[in-house]
């Protein structure tokens, strides 16, 4: 069936491209998950085949769970990610609101300054950050990680959110002011709900690098108490022997929480995109 | 209660001066309309009165009290916006009651006032709905209701009808006029539409590029405009402006309203060819290309049959022409 806007070859073409891309993007993930359910011999013998009754083995998972601390690593990762996300969204939105709402001297300059961090990787400052954490006694605490990740996530959050905040109706904010609402109430009750879709976008962009980061946990919080999942998984990565079953199992498990968070946010994302289009 | 005085108010956004010294007095119970082309500073002036924008210099006095540094909520004003600006997360009832709640008004009093306002604006069936479940006209009525329940000294309207379709606009205009008659409150109304200004106002303030061009009643502005700008802005279709030199006059420009021209097929002051005719039933607009006067508009009451290309003579009614000097001011 072909209509004015749709023709069969075009539809097939578009789907072929999208399916190819999906396959390429999902391939490594599927390989990891598949092999995490196989025995060591199965992994090396036929890495690309799904687990068969002969090769099926839960040894990876039992090792990871049996290690005992892994649940704890998970908790650490989750605490760090959720806390950082919370602060990035809160402070990012507040800064964005101030930049887009109030006219003050140096407004543009301040906006540029806050956005500078998008271009300069925070890892360049690792040495100074480490010195700072040592001096303030925060080494080997989750607080150190939360602080660093909040700093890392803020520039992009401020940049994206201030663009969206500019689009919130001035009339609505002014109506609130005339009704005697405080600036905080206007921000939390009127503006934030309207920029929720863009907050979800920022949340997704912020969350994934934090969850996956190995660098700062290794440097700032490598102690047993504060290890995150990515750092914990290194345990199985020996110089001479690598426990592939355990690593693949750990990685598969590590995907889960971030996937759940993503699903939560992406529903907001899609709702935001479509609700803006047809008003 | 409800007088307003604006003394030499100026407002600049950076280097751009948007209001260039506004002086105005509004007495209690008056319906004042600010009218002017888009971007002339009407909304800015209204926001300065509301306290949503600080003036660069000058004073705003409400009821004899200088409110230049008073926050908007404490000025005793209420405002209705072009985009309705209802709180999306609150029901109609709570939208109307929020301001009073913030001012710690007793719940019974809030309910009483919402009851009065909602019956006045026929909003009773919708009190529990959210703004998203209302039509545009209903939303604007809720916004008006939200202003009414505050029982303000001063109502401020910023182009409240611009987002409504033509039929609703007429209805809501009527409702605002009735509201003013019932409440006898002071109202300031901003619009770029001169029809709204003429139909609603006790007093019209014509603004242009940050300055007041003229203040006066609707008929005063229509009959004796102070300058070319006001003459061209008030009245529809627009007044014809003809180069004085082409007519052998001493004035720079001669103005004559389309409805003050008569046409004849045989003889008259200006001979011209019909370029286009608009038949509106109640009246007919003819566009004539005249040898002496250039392209002019003639408004004839009732039906008039004229084909494009036909030759007609237009004659201004005696005593109904305006003479403007080189500075645009009316010559007496
Ligand atoms: N916040 C602002 N910053 C800079 N310029 C502004 C601002 N608000 C309004 N202006 C300018 O002031 C002028 C008058 O605006 P406004 O009062 O909204 O006009 P209108 O008569 O159409 O309501 C416009 O040229 C507009 O660009
Ligand atoms: Mg305006």
């Amino acid at each position: 069936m072909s209509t004015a806007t749709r023709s069969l070859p075009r539809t097939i073409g578009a789907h072929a491209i999208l399916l190819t891309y999906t396959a390429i993007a999902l391939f490594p993930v599927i390989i990891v998950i598949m092999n995490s359910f196989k025995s060591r011999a199965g992994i090396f013998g036929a890495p690309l085949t799904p687990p068969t009754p002969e090769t099926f083995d839960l040894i990876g998972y039992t090792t990871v769970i049996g290690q005992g601390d892994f649940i704890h690593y998970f908790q650490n990762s989750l605490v760090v990610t959720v806390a950082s996300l919370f602060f990035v969204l809160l402070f990012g939105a507040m800064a964005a609101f101030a930049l887009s709402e109030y006219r003050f001297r140096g407004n543009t300059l301040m906006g540029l300054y806050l956005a500078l961090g998008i271009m300069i990787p925070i890892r360049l400052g690792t040495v100074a950050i480490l010195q700072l954490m040592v001096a303030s006694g925060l080494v080997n605490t989750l607080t150190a990680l939360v602080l660093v990740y909040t700093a890392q996530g803020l520039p992009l959050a401020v940049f994206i959110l201030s663009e969206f905040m500019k689009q919130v109706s001035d009339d609505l904010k002014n109506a609130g002011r005339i009704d005697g609402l405080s600036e905080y109430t206007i921000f939390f009750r009127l503006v934030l709900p309207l920029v929720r879709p863009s907050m979800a976008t920022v949340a997704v962009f912020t969350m994934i690098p934090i969850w996956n980061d190995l660098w700062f946990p290794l440097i700032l919080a490598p102690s047993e108490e504060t290890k995150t999942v990515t750092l914990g998984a290194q345990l199985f990565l020996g110089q001479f022997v690598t426990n592939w079953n355990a690593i693949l199992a750990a990685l598969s498990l590590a995907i889960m929480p971030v996937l759940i968070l993503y699903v939560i946010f992406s529903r907001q994302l899609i709702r935001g995109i479509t609700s803006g289009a047809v008003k | 209660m409800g007088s307003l005085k604006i003394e030499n108010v100026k407002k600049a956004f950076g280097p751009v001066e948007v209001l260039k010294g506004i002086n105005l007095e509004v007495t209690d119970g008056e319906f004042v309309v600010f009218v002017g082309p888009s971007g002339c500073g009407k909304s800015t002036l209204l926001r300065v009165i509301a306290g949503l924008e600080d003036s660069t210099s000058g004073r705003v006095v409400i009821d004899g009290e200088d409110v230049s540094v008073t926050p908007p909520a404490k000025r005793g004003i209420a405002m209705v916006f072009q985009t309705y600006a209802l709180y999306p997360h609150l029901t109609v009832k709570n939208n109307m009651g929020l301001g009073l709640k913030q001012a710690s008004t007793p719940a019974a009093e809030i309910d009483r006032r919402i009851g009065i306002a909602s019956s006045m604006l026929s909003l009773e069936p919708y009190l529990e709905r959210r703004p998203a479940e209302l039509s545009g006209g209903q939303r604007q009525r809720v916004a008006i209701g939200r202003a009414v329940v505050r029982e303000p000294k001063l109502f401020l309207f910023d182009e409240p009808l611009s987002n409504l379709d033509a039929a609703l606009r007429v209805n809501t205009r009527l409702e605002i006029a009735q509201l003013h008659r019932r409440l006898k409150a002071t109202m300031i109304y901003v619009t770029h539409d001169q029809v709204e200004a003429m139909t609603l106002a006790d007093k019209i303030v014509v603004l242009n590029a940050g300055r007041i061009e003229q203040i006066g009643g609707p008929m005063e502005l229509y009959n004796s405009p102070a300058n070319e700008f006001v003459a061209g802005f008030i009245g529809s279709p627009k007044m014809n402006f003809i180069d004085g030199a082409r007519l052998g006059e001493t004035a720079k420009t001669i103005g004559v309203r389309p409805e003050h021209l008569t046409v004849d097929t045989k003889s008259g002051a200006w001979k011209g060819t019909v370029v286009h005719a608009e038949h509106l039933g109640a009246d007919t607009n003819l566009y004539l290309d005249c040898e002496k006067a250039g392209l002019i508009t003639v408004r004839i009451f009732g039906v008039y049959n004229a084909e494009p290309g036909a030759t007609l003579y237009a004659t201004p009614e005696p005593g109904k022409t305006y003479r403007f000097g080189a500075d645009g001011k009316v010559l007496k």
Side-chain angles (χ1 to χ4, degrees):
Chain A
M1 189 191 75
S2 83
T3 62
T5 53
R6 241 174 262 193
S7 70
L8 192 58
R10 248 200 248 176
T11 312
I12 292 176
H15 279 80
I17 292 171
L18 291 174
L19 285 174
T20 315
Y21 177 76
T22 312
I24 293 172
L26 283 183
F27 183 69
V29 179
I30 291 173
I31 293 288
V32 166
I33 295 178
M34 236 163 49
N35 283 310
S36 72
F37 289 102
K38 296 201 300 205
S39 65
R40 192 175 172 83
I43 294 174
F44 285 102
L48 294 184
T49 52
T52 59
E54 294 95 72
T55 58
F56 181 80
D57 199 337
L58 286 178
I59 179 74
Y61 289 91
T62 46
T63 317
V64 169
I65 310 260
Q67 206 73 31
D69 295 340
F70 234 78
I71 307 290
H72 187 65
Y73 300 160
F74 254 101
Q75 260 175 21
N76 287 341
S77 272
L78 213 57
V79 167
V80 167
T81 306
V82 169
S84 310
L85 205 54
F86 174 78
F87 288 122
V88 166
L89 290 180
L90 178 71
F91 295 137
M94 284 177 139
F97 183 70
L99 285 175
S100 62
E101 183 62 17
Y102 306 122
R103 287 189 299 273
F104 52 88
R105 198 179 291 269
N107 181 316
T108 319
L109 225 60
M110 178 71 92
L112 279 178
Y113 170 70
L114 287 179
L116 211 62
I118 299 173
M119 289 153 270
I120 302 172
I122 192 169
R123 286 173 196 196
L124 288 183
T126 303
V127 174
I129 290 175
L130 184 56
Q131 285 170 343
L132 197 74
M133 294 302 172
V134 171
S136 46
L138 288 175
V139 172
N140 279 329
T141 61
L142 294 183
T143 315
L145 291 179
V146 171
L147 287 176
V148 169
Y149 290 141
T150 305
Q152 172 187 308
L154 272 176
L156 192 65
V158 172
F159 184 73
I160 294 180
L161 290 177
S162 56
E163 271 322 299
F164 279 90
M165 297 249 182
K166 277 184 196 139
Q167 292 167 17
V168 174
S169 145
D170 279 336
D171 285 357
L172 185 64
K173 291 175 274 191
N174 285 338
R177 292 192 180 110
I178 287 179
D179 273 341
L181 301 183
S182 70
E183 293 297 312
Y184 283 98
T185 318
I186 289 173
F187 171 71
F188 283 112
R189 304 300 297 279
L190 297 183
V191 176
L192 274 195
L194 291 177
V195 296
R196 215 164 46 186
S198 57
M199 299 274 279
T201 314
V202 171
V204 168
F205 279 126
T206 309
M207 165 183 84
I208 292 168
I210 296 178
W211 181 268
N212 289 338
D213 192 35
L214 179 61
W215 182 262
F216 284 113
L218 188 62
I219 291 166
L220 297 178
S223 77
E224 193 52 34
E225 266 309 290
T226 55
K227 256 184 201 161
T228 59
V229 163
T230 28
L231 188 54
Q234 306 301 309
L235 187 76
F236 307 111
L237 206 65
Q239 190 177 357
F240 305 107
V241 197
T242 295
N243 187 344
W244 284 108
N245 300 77
I247 287 198
L248 293 176
L251 287 179
S252 303
L253 286 176
I255 294 171
M256 288 306 142
V258 80
L259 198 66
I260 292 169
L261 283 178
Y262 179 79
V263 167
I264 294 173
F265 290 129
S266 65
R267 284 184 41 179
Q268 291 284 338
L269 219 84
I270 291 161
R271 198 184 307 159
I273 291 164
T274 50
S275 79
V278 280
K279 203 213 128 174
Chain B
M1 51 155 285
S3 71
L4 168 73
K5 199 162 158 193
I6 299 171
E7 290 173 7
N8 202 23
V9 161
K10 293 186 182 171
K11 174 71 193 174
F13 292 109
V16 189
E17 206 172 28
V18 175
L19 298 177
K20 299 166 183 164
I22 303 285
N23 286 290
L24 179 68
E25 261 187 78
V26 177
T27 54
D28 186 24
E30 234 177 347
F31 199 121
V32 177
V33 174
F34 296 169
V35 70
S38 267
C40 71
K42 308 176 297 285
S43 298
T44 306
L45 180 55
L46 203 67
R47 286 205 301 271
V48 168
I49 296 172
L52 297 168
E53 199 86 70
D54 290 325
S55 61
T56 312
S57 67
R59 294 199 326 150
V60 176
V61 180
I62 296 177
D63 260 357
E65 193 184 330
D66 187 342
V67 293
S68 302
V69 292
T70 312
K74 300 259 156 58
R75 290 191 178 196
I77 51 140
M79 192 155 170
V80 177
F81 298 89
Q82 179 179 348
T83 56
Y84 324 132
L86 300 177
Y87 309 119
H89 62 295
L90 295 179
T91 60
V92 166
K93 194 172 165 203
N94 292 336
N95 257 286
M96 296 208 268
L98 185 67
L100 295 178
K101 216 166 115 191
Q102 289 294 319
S104 332
T105 313
E109 173 67 8
I110 297 180
D111 283 343
R112 189 186 67 83
R113 292 202 202 172
I114 290 177
I116 295 174
S118 53
S119 76
M120 208 186 289
L121 294 158
S122 340
L123 284 171
E124 282 127 333
Y126 313 114
L127 283 180
E128 296 306 324
R129 293 207 196 165
R130 278 174 211 281
E133 300 159 336
L134 298 176
S135 71
Q138 290 165 342
R139 286 181 205 181
Q140 196 54 293
R141 289 217 303 280
V142 174
I144 294 171
R146 181 171 67 180
V148 169
V149 296
R150 291 176 60 92
E151 299 184 353
K153 297 175 190 164
L154 208 57
F155 279 88
L156 306 175
F157 295 89
D158 192 355
E159 309 215 12
L161 308 184
S162 298
N163 279 14
L164 303 180
D165 61 51
L168 259 177
R169 206 174 293 170
V170 175
N171 280 342
T172 316
R173 197 170 78 198
L174 252 167
E175 249 172 291
I176 293 175
Q178 282 170 345
L179 194 71
H180 177 241
R181 223 166 294 134
R182 281 186 68 163
L183 300 176
K184 299 186 172 54
T186 317
M187 296 189 174
I188 297 182
Y189 186 105
V190 163
T191 178
H192 64 265
D193 179 359
Q194 57 99 18
V195 176
E196 275 174 35
M198 298 293 274
T199 50
L200 286 169
D202 295 324
K203 186 156 98 182
I204 297 179
V205 177
V206 183
L207 287 162
N208 183 29
R211 282 207 176 79
I212 293 183
E213 294 280 348
Q214 190 174 1
I215 303 177
M219 284 308 111
E220 193 183 340
L221 295 191
Y222 180 82
N223 290 323
S224 32
N227 54 44
E228 218 175 308
F229 179 82
V230 177
F233 198 80
I234 302 289
S236 170
K238 200 170 169 291
M239 182 186 277
N240 297 299
F241 293 111
I242 303 150
D243 192 355
R246 289 179 70 172
L247 299 176
E249 294 267 359
T250 49
K252 175 81 171 40
T253 310
I254 300 297
V256 54
R257 294 195 186 278
E259 54 270 35
H260 297 151
L261 284 165
T262 53
V263 289
D264 192 277
T265 47
K266 306 265 163 29
S267 64
W270 304 326
K271 185 182 179 215
T273 326
V274 177
V275 178
H276 181 63
E278 290 171 348
H279 301 283
L280 302 170
D283 40 36
T284 308
N285 296 332
L286 297 180
Y287 297 88
L288 296 185
D289 193 5
C290 297
E291 286 163 7
K292 269 169 88 179
L295 186 66
I296 60 170
T297 315
V298 180
R299 181 175 175 206
I300 299 161
F301 296 96
V303 179
Y304 188 93
N305 287 318
E307 290 302 317
T311 302
L312 280 180
Y313 294 86
T315 313
E317 283 176 29
K320 294 283 177 80
T321 54
Y322 299 89
R323 296 152 48 78
F324 302 101
D327 58 356
K329 293 224 170 70
V330 148
L331 300 176
K332 294 291 171 206

